[in-house]
Amino acid sequence: MNTALWIAAAVLACVALAAGAGKLLLPVEKLASAPGGGWTADTGPGFVRALGALEVLAAAGLTLPALPGALPVLVPVTAVCWVLLMAGAMATHIRRGDPLLFPAVNGAYLVLAAFLAWGRFFAVPL
């Protein structure tokens, strides 16, 4: 179980880091023209950058608190926050009428984050 939870944390951290870095580094116009990125045209660039920063912080929060001497409770707390973020992403893609692939992928990340939160809160706490 511990191995599965570490794999879930690593996958989610990689996704969060990649998505966050893209939102922080790429021009909003380029993000808006990418598949599934049309929502960025409906928001201000500040919101996109703030979301990117939160995603980068989530990548750190999913892994770094497990280091010795850190705050391990932040791992499942971050996973719960990721669940909320993915619920919002799913709702946004559905509201916009995006292809179902996008909310489905967000849903898969949501389930993985819920598994991580449950596992680190109850099954195998750090």
Side-chain angles (χ1 to χ4, degrees):
M1 177 63 86
N2 192 44
T3 301
L5 291 168
W6 272 110
I7 291 169
V11 167
L12 290 173
C14 289
V15 168
L17 184 60
K23 289 177 184 78
L24 285 172
L25 301 174
L26 295 175
V28 175
E29 298 77 26
K30 185 168 185 166
L31 291 170
S33 66
W39 65 269
T40 59
D42 299 340
T43 64
F47 178 78
V48 174
R49 301 293 183 229
L51 190 57
L54 289 173
E55 288 174 336
V56 169
L57 288 173
L62 289 166
T63 53
L64 296 180
L67 295 174
L71 292 170
V73 73
L74 290 180
V75 173
V77 169
T78 303
V80 169
C81 292
W82 192 258
V83 166
L84 297 173
L85 181 68
M86 289 301 102
M90 289 172 64
T92 299
H93 285 300
I94 291 169
R95 181 179 42 83
R96 289 183 44 79
D98 290 339
L100 289 180
L101 172 66
F102 299 113
V105 169
N106 294 136
Y109 295 144
L110 183 150
V111 168
L112 196 58
F115 168 70
L116 180 60
W118 168 81
R120 289 302 183 207
F121 270 132
F122 304 109
V124 187
L126 291 169

